[in-house]
Amino acid sequence: MTNHDKRLLSLMELGRTGNRSEYRREALAWLDRQLGFDGVVWGEGRQHADGVVHIHSAELRGRSERILADYGAVAHLDPVARRFARQPRSLQNVVVDRDLSAGDTAAVGECLRSHDVGQLMLCGVRSSDAGGLRWLTLYREDRSRPFTRAQTEQAAFAIPFVLLAEPDAPPEPAPRVTDLLTAREHEVAWAYAEGADYKTIAQQLGVSPATVRTHLQSSFRKLEVHNKIALRARLLG
């Protein structure tokens, strides 16, 4: 067994321990020895029905968190993001000056350069839950030292392996209804769940039936329910 194979087995074993912090530290150290980079984003999110990827969490190393906010403002112009949404596992090896310098993409390139990104690699995997995604973006500042073909081939295998072997995050408690709904939405939802109709609720609250309908539609969407029975169950917790 080669040292490379031993390291992969070691990472798999570490992934089974459930210690995410230790796993990420060891996995990134191994990737750095294989590929060489000076910044990384380890992200998790979900792809919605419209195809847009929403970030739930992102751990940064080697760059300020400001890069996420600045990039978010131009992400809709980035063909790299669009390709990732279609095929997250297809590794993308991007030279900023070459690939993000013309037309609308120039704003993306300018954003990345302002955060000392000259090269980047992006690759992800779909996680077990529907629509879930994990990904790694590796940054390199040096514009004169692009990732080689051999490194690209290594990354195409190594990054999905690292992401798939990562321990799952501890389940987060479901958000409370009062954290999801406004006070008025909560009031309308309770009245409706208790059996009141639109007209009655409108009279009780001094608003129009159309306003009641708007609040209920918002509540159903936020609570991810589709009927009165499910709404009542969700409100009761």
Side-chain angles (χ1 to χ4, degrees), residues 4 8 30-36 91 93 121 123 138 140 147-162:
H4 181 268
L8 293 182
W30 177 68
L31 284 175
D32 192 22
R33 288 194 295 272
Q34 301 293 312
L35 305 171
L91 181 119
N93 183 359
M121 279 185 176
C123 190
L138 309 181
R140 190 184 272 179
F147 291 104
T148 65
R149 180 175 179 178
Q151 288 172 330
T152 302
E153 291 173 353
Q154 280 183 306
F157 164 78
I159 293 177
F161 172 86
V162 163

Side-chain angles (χ1 to χ4, degrees), residues 63-140:
R63 294 295 186 279
S64 163
E65 289 192 3
R66 182 67 188 174
I67 190 174
L68 294 180
D70 290 349
Y71 176 76
V74 296
H76 64 289
L77 302 173
D78 190 0
V80 178
R82 292 195 291 271
R83 287 194 295 269
F84 172 76
R86 291 194 302 269
Q87 294 182 302
R89 195 156 178 166
S90 295
L91 181 119
Q92 298 188 65
N93 183 359
V94 178
V95 179
V96 174
D97 286 345
R98 179 193 68 200
D99 303 320
L100 299 172
S101 62
D104 289 342
T105 69
V108 182
E110 182 179 350
C111 169
L112 292 172
R113 282 190 293 270
S114 72
H115 290 279
D116 301 322
V117 177
Q119 328 274 339
L120 67 87
M121 279 185 176
L122 169 63
C123 190
V125 296
R126 299 193 184 278
S127 53
S128 55
D129 54 332
L133 291 168
R134 297 175 180 174
W135 63 88
L136 276 169
T137 307
L138 309 181
Y139 296 138
R140 190 184 272 179

Side-chain angles (χ1 to χ4, degrees), residues 42-236:
W42 196 313
E44 292 184 274
R46 181 174 298 279
Q47 187 170 23
H48 290 227
D50 58 5
V52 176
V53 176
H54 295 265
I55 298 174
H56 292 170
S57 66
E59 180 180 343
L60 281 85
R61 302 188 185 187
R63 294 295 186 279
S64 163
E65 289 192 3
R66 182 67 188 174
I67 190 174
L68 294 180
D70 290 349
Y71 176 76
V74 296
H76 64 289
L77 302 173
D78 190 0
V80 178
R82 292 195 291 271
R83 287 194 295 269
F84 172 76
R86 291 194 302 269
Q87 294 182 302
R89 195 156 178 166
S90 295
L91 181 119
Q92 298 188 65
N93 183 359
V94 178
V95 179
V96 174
D97 286 345
R98 179 193 68 200
D99 303 320
L100 299 172
S101 62
D104 289 342
T105 69
V108 182
E110 182 179 350
C111 169
L112 292 172
R113 282 190 293 270
S114 72
H115 290 279
D116 301 322
V117 177
Q119 328 274 339
L120 67 87
M121 279 185 176
L122 169 63
C123 190
V125 296
R126 299 193 184 278
S127 53
S128 55
D129 54 332
L133 291 168
R134 297 175 180 174
W135 63 88
L136 276 169
T137 307
L138 309 181
Y139 296 138
R140 190 184 272 179
E141 180 178 2
D142 190 347
R143 304 178 189 181
S144 65
R145 191 170 62 91
F147 291 104
T148 65
R149 180 175 179 178
Q151 288 172 330
T152 302
E153 291 173 353
Q154 280 183 306
F157 164 78
I159 293 177
F161 172 86
V162 163
L163 292 168
L164 290 169
E166 181 187 27
D168 288 330
E172 295 183 0
R176 297 177 301 174
V177 169
T178 51
D179 292 334
L180 295 172
L181 305 183
T182 66
R184 179 48 62 93
E185 287 171 346
H186 192 257
E187 189 175 15
V188 170
W190 258 118
Y192 183 69
E194 289 291 323
D197 59 24
Y198 285 20
K199 185 176 180 180
T200 300
I201 299 171
Q203 289 174 344
Q204 290 174 345
L205 300 180
V207 298
S208 70
T211 299
V212 171
R213 183 180 296 107
T214 298
H215 285 316
L216 280 174
Q217 288 174 341
S218 177
S219 298
F220 271 62
R221 185 180 67 255
K222 290 179 179 179
L223 299 181
E224 298 181 345
V225 297
H226 304 285
N227 56 60
K228 185 182 293 188
I229 295 174
L231 175 64
R232 180 176 174 79
R234 186 72 173 88
L235 291 170
L236 290 171

